[in-house]
Amino acid sequence: MECQLVPSLLSADFYRLEEELAAVERAGVTHLHLDVMDGQFVQNISYGPGVIAKLRPHTDLFFDTHLMVREPSYLFPAFQKAGCQLLTVHWEAVTHLHRAIQEIHALGMKAGVALNPATPASVLESILPDLDLVLVMSVNPGFGGQSFITTMLPKIRLVKAMIEASGRPIILEADGGINLDNVDEVLEAGCDWVVAGSAVFGKDTEKAARAFQEHLGK
Ligand code: DX5
Ligand code: ZN
């Protein structure tokens, strides 16, 4: 599977969103990570389908949507209308996970499950055959700019082995604290998509995104 840098919009300058998106696109980025936070599941509030819908007409980036939302099923149709191609829900935030994944698929989107750092890979066993993506959180969700939790590397390897054993083309994504100094370890552990927020958006977004892209051989 092709490696992708997936910049997280959370760290972008929201006053200059148009420029920020253009900068990552000039660097050849094709995927955008959208962090939706509800102030309940995580101690922060970000943005929702209304804001995402406003971005959609202005970019062709693939919208990889990370829902840090408790019981988010009621929002799935709104995210679909907003133009999201993939919704990832948290294992810890959804009671009827199998049903939620089916609902996302029924709306024509890809579906993923995210695991908090303390949640073991083994919880994926019964849901893995239904997934398009597994997101291993390498920080506790809620905020950008935190440090990568290195004990997540063995977990990434474990999930990779589970995916390989399943024989299905399930994307493995890591999110949180990833930068140019540690991205190689994350890729070597088996990740396909690497999310990076504060390491991409900030001073010179295009330059930072280009440096990542070169690292990924793009
Ligand atoms: C954390 C979010 C991440 C975050 C990544 O709750 O899910 O996507 O924006 O930001 P960095 O790369 O700065 O850790
Ligand atoms: Zn995220």
Side-chain angles (χ1 to χ4, degrees):
M1 200 165 312
E2 217 194 329
C3 288
Q4 298 288 355
L5 165 67
V6 195
S8 165
L9 194 71
L10 193 66
S11 296
D13 181 348
F14 277 68
Y15 187 60
R16 300 170 35 251
L17 271 190
E18 188 176 352
E19 282 171 52
E20 295 278 63
L21 288 189
V24 293
E25 285 179 344
R26 280 197 302 274
V29 163
T30 54
H31 291 55
L32 187 68
H33 187 79
L34 297 166
D35 287 305
V36 179
M37 302 178 177
D38 67 350
Q40 295 288 322
F41 178 63
V42 291
Q43 293 175 343
N44 198 4
I45 296 175
S46 56
Y47 50 79
V51 169
I52 296 172
K54 295 286 185 190
L55 300 177
R56 186 69 286 176
H58 305 289
T59 177
D60 290 328
L61 290 167
F62 182 97
F63 283 176
D64 165 35
T65 318
H66 177 193
L67 302 182
M68 286 158 275
V69 177
R70 208 175 281 293
E71 302 297 351
S73 297
Y74 71 102
L75 288 168
F76 294 164
F79 283 112
Q80 189 260 342
K81 276 203 200 82
C84 296
Q85 286 109 324
L86 187 153
L87 299 185
T88 294
V89 299
H90 264 265
W91 182 86
E92 304 84 2
V94 180
T95 305
H96 299 290
L97 188 58
H98 182 266
R99 180 185 295 152
I101 297 302
Q102 284 181 313
E103 286 169 354
I104 295 169
H105 281 150
L107 288 163
M109 296 175 283
K110 292 187 184 302
V113 166
L115 302 182
N116 277 344
T119 304
S122 56
V123 302
L124 292 169
E125 188 184 335
S126 302
I127 196 68
L128 201 63
D130 296 286
L131 300 183
D132 302 295
L133 177 143
V134 174
L135 171 52
V136 174
M137 288 306 299
S138 40
V139 298
N140 288 289
F143 302 93
Q146 303 181 78
S147 298
F148 185 84
I149 302 170
T150 52
T151 49
M152 292 303 106
L153 289 169
K155 181 158 126 186
I156 292 168
R157 284 187 211 107
L158 211 55
V159 176
K160 183 67 177 182
M162 291 169 77
I163 289 173
E164 278 173 358
S166 80
R168 294 194 56 251
I170 301 165
I171 299 156
L172 179 51
E173 182 177 44
D175 180 11
I178 298 172
N179 52 48
L180 280 179
D181 294 331
N182 60 20
V183 67
D184 284 341
E185 287 177 290
V186 178
L187 293 169
E188 276 159 27
C191 275
D192 308 298
W193 290 7
V194 287
V195 177
S198 49
V200 170
F201 294 104
K203 269 199 243 130
D204 186 337
T205 299
E206 184 177 346
K207 194 173 161 201
R210 273 192 200 282
F212 260 102
Q213 292 284 89
E214 275 167 28
H215 218 82
L216 300 184
K218 306 209 174 216

